[in-house]
Amino acid sequence: MIFYYSTSATQADVAAFKAFQSAYPDFSRWFNHIASFSAEFASLPASTAAPASTDDAAAEEDDDDLDLFGSDDEENDAAAEKLKAERIAAYNEKKAAKGAKPAAKSIVTLDVKPWDDETDLNAMLEFVKSIEIEGLTWGGHQFIPVGFGIKKLQINCVVEDDKVSMDDLQGSIEEGEDWVQSTDVAAMQKL
């Protein structure tokens, strides 16, 4: 803002003065306080603060003490590192106390189709249940009529998602070429 000085005051000057006083009351108070000493300006002391040292080393030391960003303070860095290590240790303890999360599991219903109506379904069931993979648990089963006297095996299993690949499981079942024509995933649901 640029203020122009005029020899006569106007209502605009009064409005600006009041706005300045309300916006900056501390400055107005200081300004009025200093203005009250106008007769004594020449005799006022240079400063009320302690006299400045002429020694450059003392000035540099004062500058060294003033570290605005705290980057050179080794004690603070060590304390920060210690605090960080404590927090990491506490986090790791808390994480270990929770224990391992239960494995993500899915319930899967598989349709296992035989070659024809003469396929021994009980032998096919025994073959399928003989497949053992870590993270695989076989469940209930039933034989469902498809047509023309042919029945398919529908079997449930629970699999741990990280340990059992459905493609590998289906491939293992389809290796029983004497009984199994093909397999399909009929249903899958996360536990």
Side-chain angles (χ1 to χ4, degrees):
M1 287 181 129
I2 299 175
F3 292 102
Y4 295 100
Y5 176 72
S6 85
T7 56
S8 61
T10 64
Q11 285 299 317
D13 293 326
V14 173
F17 175 77
K18 287 182 178 180
F20 188 83
Q21 259 190 331
S22 65
Y24 304 102
D26 294 332
F27 180 77
S28 295
R29 199 173 305 122
W30 172 83
F31 185 82
N32 291 335
H33 175 69
I34 298 303
S36 69
F37 294 102
S38 62
E40 304 167 21
F41 277 176
S43 63
L44 290 176
S47 175
T48 58
S53 172
T54 57
D55 187 11
D56 289 338
E60 286 181 22
E61 184 178 323
D62 288 343
D63 287 344
D64 288 343
D65 289 342
L66 180 64
D67 187 10
L68 298 177
F69 300 104
S71 60
D72 294 333
D73 193 358
E74 293 174 7
E75 291 176 10
N76 286 343
D77 289 347
E81 287 297 322
K82 182 179 177 185
L83 180 63
K84 180 180 174 183
E86 289 172 0
R87 288 183 179 170
I88 289 173
Y91 171 77
N92 289 335
E93 286 176 18
K94 184 177 178 183
K95 189 175 178 182
K98 285 184 179 178
K101 288 184 179 179
K105 295 181 180 180
S106 299
I107 297 175
V108 180
T109 302
L110 291 171
D111 285 341
V112 182
K113 298 174 188 153
W115 281 109
D116 55 27
D117 62 340
E118 295 178 6
T119 303
D120 185 359
L121 297 179
N122 289 322
M124 183 172 71
L125 175 63
E126 285 181 37
F127 169 74
V128 170
K129 285 196 169 188
S130 70
I131 297 172
E132 295 181 6
I133 300 174
E134 183 182 352
L136 170 68
T137 306
W138 292 108
H141 69 279
Q142 61 183 345
F143 295 108
I144 298 177
V146 177
F148 305 107
I150 299 174
K151 295 182 180 179
K152 68 179 176 181
L153 168 65
Q154 192 171 65
I155 188 165
N156 295 324
C157 62
V158 176
V159 295
E160 290 184 32
D161 297 339
D162 292 339
K163 295 181 180 178
V164 179
S165 163
M166 288 310 301
D167 291 336
D168 292 344
L169 178 59
Q170 286 180 282
S172 297
I173 294 171
E174 290 172 1
E175 286 177 3
E177 295 174 353
D178 294 338
W179 307 284
V180 180
Q181 173 192 0
S182 64
T183 62
D184 289 320
V185 176
M188 181 180 243
Q189 180 178 345
K190 295 285 183 190
L191 280 178

